[in-house]
Amino acid sequence: MCSSDLDFFIDNGASFVGLPFTFAERLAELPELSAVSPFRATKAQINGETKDIGAVKGSDFEQLIDVKLVDGDLASLDDGAIALNKDPARDLGVGVGDTINVTWQNGTVSDLQVGAIYADSSIARNYLIGIPLLESVSTAEPQDFFIGAKIAD
């Protein structure tokens, strides 16, 4: 199970309705918090199979959740890379620096560089991208499934 260094885990309780994306943006502006990352999700085709893809603010997510990084850097997600759990990375035969072909729900096709491989998928699931990439390939209204935050030192 992932360990965490977050002080706040914010969700919408028992509701399956996500949080407004502006909530995480407002939290990130607070000087009392040193790291804030929403967690969003989408679906995409990888090797012809539909996969669930998580989207986070990579540079902050790595300060909040320990996904047991094997190689690379989750901050690379902020620059358009993709991170994979070690199992699908092995199945696809890829490592950090390799590229994988992703077809998004809107039909856009991207060749994404693998920026990180991690061992613990209990929170991050099998695939992670950065919020900017998700926003560029999705026309859906953004919703945050949860938000993690850490109090500044």
Side-chain angles (χ1 to χ4, degrees), residues 11-12 15-21 39 142-146:
D11 67 8
N12 207 10
S15 172
F16 291 105
V17 176
L19 297 161
F21 70 93
F39 188 92
Q143 291 189 18
D144 297 338
F145 291 102
F146 66 83

Side-chain angles (χ1 to χ4, degrees), residues 51-98:
K51 303 294 183 183
D52 292 319
I53 313 283
V56 297
K57 184 177 177 187
S59 55
D60 283 2
F61 190 75
E62 70 182 355
Q63 296 177 54
L64 301 170
I65 305 292
D66 181 6
V67 295
K68 310 291 186 240
L69 204 59
V70 174
D71 193 15
D73 184 357
L74 291 180
S76 67
L77 303 181
D78 298 335
D79 296 322
I82 188 168
L84 286 77
N85 175 265
K86 63 182 177 56
D87 296 330
R90 180 197 62 232
D91 295 345
L92 294 169
V94 297
V96 170
D98 294 334

Side-chain angles (χ1 to χ4, degrees), residues 39-40 42 44 46-47 49-55 77 82-85 87-89 91-92 100 102 118 121 123-129:
F39 188 92
R40 299 180 189 162
T42 190
I46 297 176
N47 270 6
E49 295 181 24
T50 300
K51 303 294 183 183
D52 292 319
I53 313 283
L77 303 181
I82 188 168
L84 286 77
N85 175 265
D87 296 330
D91 295 345
L92 294 169
I100 62 171
V102 178
Y118 54 91
S121 63
I123 292 177
R125 309 292 302 254
N126 284 329
Y127 302 91
L128 281 176
I129 59 171

